[in-house]
Amino acid sequence: MDLAHFRDTIGRRWPIVLALTLLCGAFTGVLAERRPPVYRAETQMVVTFAAEKSAAPQPRPPADEAGRLMQRRVKTYATMMNTPRLTRPVIDSLGLPYTTDDLAGRVVASSTVDSLAIDVAVTDRSAGTAAAIAAALAAELQRIAERDLPPAGLGLKAQVEVVRAAAPPPRPEPVRWQWYAAGGALGGLAVGVGIALVLGYRRAGTPVSADVRTLWATVARRRPPAPAASDVVASDTAASEAVAPDTAAPDTATSDTATSDTATSGAVADDSAGVPGQSDGRVADASVKERQAS
């Protein structure tokens, strides 16, 4: 199908394409707008480093090396916020009906580069539950930081401080139904174009079923035909007839051998008739005849 045929096919069936585009876009937009509200609670923490009072003084690394070690510890704490090490104690303490994976999908933690702050956002269908989860996560991270050892080579112990506590959000998160409607419209456009092309292809006189039958006929022609039962019987009979002369040949040769043996014996008998002393009663020598006469 060339470009002109494609344009003509879509142009003749533009009502179908337009209807599907509008219907799909409106359907997905309504679904997004009628979705249950979701509340988002946020909290912010800062990781500080200080020498332990009971520990002996240790040499400090250079400033750039110390900053790199601090950043590594902050990134570790940020990635730990939605792991079972924090989510499991929070679920147990608040009695949440979630699994660790469910709660991990509701928690988003991030840390800005060259910053010691950790931003945590929790979403839930209840504003109070979202704020309680954020506060419990911050408290659990503080307990973990108190038990952790100082970073190797730094000699300073990390401490977590909450600089912005979580509070129940006053209103749910806004639903951007326009984006959902645009995505649904694009999907409807693709479906409408596909249906228009299929209808145009069938109307051109080459339906899909005809193509399938043509392909099947081509495959059937390339496949060797199966022999019929009568052909199999005839071939077996011809094979048996071809074998019969070969089996009769030894008998004929045997009869010829017997005939030749008979002729040979006859020839031997004829030769033995002229030998003296045979019992045929004839005398071949003259002296013998005279002795017999006397």
Side-chain angles (χ1 to χ4, degrees), residues 13-24 188-189 192:
R13 295 167 181 82
W14 67 266
I16 298 176
V17 178
L18 180 61
L20 286 175
T21 302
L22 295 178
L23 287 176
C24 291
L189 177 63

Side-chain angles (χ1 to χ4, degrees), residues 46-52 60 66-75 77 115-117 145 149-152 154-161:
V46 173
V47 182
T48 59
F49 295 86
E52 294 183 297
R60 299 288 186 268
R68 186 178 61 84
L69 295 175
M70 292 179 183
Q71 285 289 328
R72 181 182 300 177
R73 179 57 62 92
V74 172
K75 290 293 183 183
Y77 285 159
S115 173
L116 301 180
L149 297 176
L154 183 61
L156 300 175
K157 186 174 178 57
Q159 298 177 353
V160 177
E161 298 179 2

Side-chain angles (χ1 to χ4, degrees), residues 220-246:
R221 284 197 302 268
R222 293 180 179 180
R223 184 182 302 172
S230 57
D231 297 339
V232 174
V233 173
S235 61
D236 293 341
T237 305
S240 62
E241 291 178 355
V243 172
D246 296 337

